[in-house]
Amino acid sequence: MQTVFDLQNLYKSYFSRTPFNLPGSEGDTGNIRISPNSNRRAIHTSSKDIPFNKEGAYGKDIWFPVEFRINGSPENPLIIDACTIAVNLSKTIVKTAVSERKGTVKEMFNIDDYKFTIRGFLIDKSRKVPEGDILKLKTVFETDLPVTLHGGYPEMFLDESCRVAVTSLEFLETQGKTHWIRPFNLTCESDFIADVKNLEVPQKNANTNQ
């Protein structure tokens, strides 16, 4: 027995928003169509040779899946196919007023951590409660070991370590009979500086060398 459900409607129901529906994607009601000659299931890779998409179990294109690993181990990772990723970049600007001049002099002080918001669904293909994935996601949130985020899209904003710090995790309330689909909302931040002791203070080092 095959179960069919509308993932976009589920997304709108649980997250009270609709992801951008780009022209040419499934569900698009515009007049733009993909050419029949295009290789719809081609695997697209980033400059780091990391795939942006993959072919799902039923031959569907899956774009921007993500994978969480604990302590960098590729064994038993948490792979999330049905999700969206929002990336927020911000920086601190120091503004200095100038006498008798309009405006301010702006200097970049630092670039803040990159923030990722991942909204998605844990889906069990056997129509059972996805207990294993729920516990994996809970462990990703609770662990004190390094957590890494992988995927062609998020890795564009991370360094080689791909380390992130998971700051919040929410399992949304659900109703109805789709017990094999569990929506969640997760936020994490890039973790570029692994340890404060690794920070370099050039002036102190310079004084030490003298």
Side-chain angles (χ1 to χ4, degrees), residues 33-150:
R33 296 288 180 267
I34 299 177
S35 170
N37 296 326
S38 63
N39 189 357
R40 187 168 171 271
R41 292 177 187 167
I43 301 301
H44 302 260
T45 57
S46 67
S47 57
K48 298 180 180 180
D49 201 30
I50 303 169
F52 287 116
N53 65 318
K54 67 179 184 178
E55 184 175 331
Y58 303 106
K60 290 287 188 179
D61 277 340
I62 296 175
W63 279 91
F64 307 128
V66 298
E67 179 178 315
F68 283 100
R69 299 177 187 173
I70 295 179
N71 211 19
S73 174
E75 298 180 4
N76 200 28
L78 173 61
I79 301 173
I80 304 172
D81 290 338
C83 68
T84 61
I85 311 171
V87 187
N88 179 268
L89 285 68
S90 61
K91 58 185 178 182
T92 302
I93 300 293
V94 177
K95 299 180 181 181
T96 305
V98 180
S99 177
E100 300 180 0
R101 294 287 185 92
K102 292 181 180 179
T104 57
V105 175
K106 299 173 180 64
E107 299 176 278
M108 186 180 76
F109 181 74
N110 77 315
I111 296 178
D112 295 340
D113 293 317
Y114 298 161
K115 298 177 177 61
F116 300 86
T117 301
I118 302 175
R119 299 180 177 90
F121 300 93
L122 303 177
I123 302 174
D124 189 281
K125 295 180 176 64
S126 302
R127 294 169 60 93
K128 297 179 181 179
V129 175
E131 181 181 5
D133 284 346
I134 292 174
L135 293 177
K136 282 184 184 180
L137 194 53
K138 177 176 174 285
T139 301
V140 165
F141 174 73
E142 292 181 343
T143 184
D144 58 355
L145 296 173
V147 174
T148 56
L149 175 62
H150 299 272

Side-chain angles (χ1 to χ4, degrees), residues 5 32 41 77 82 84 161 164 170 173 176 184 201 205:
F5 56 89
I32 299 177
R41 292 177 187 167
T84 61
S161 72
V164 295
E170 178 186 13
E173 66 275 14
F184 72 91
V201 183
N205 293 340

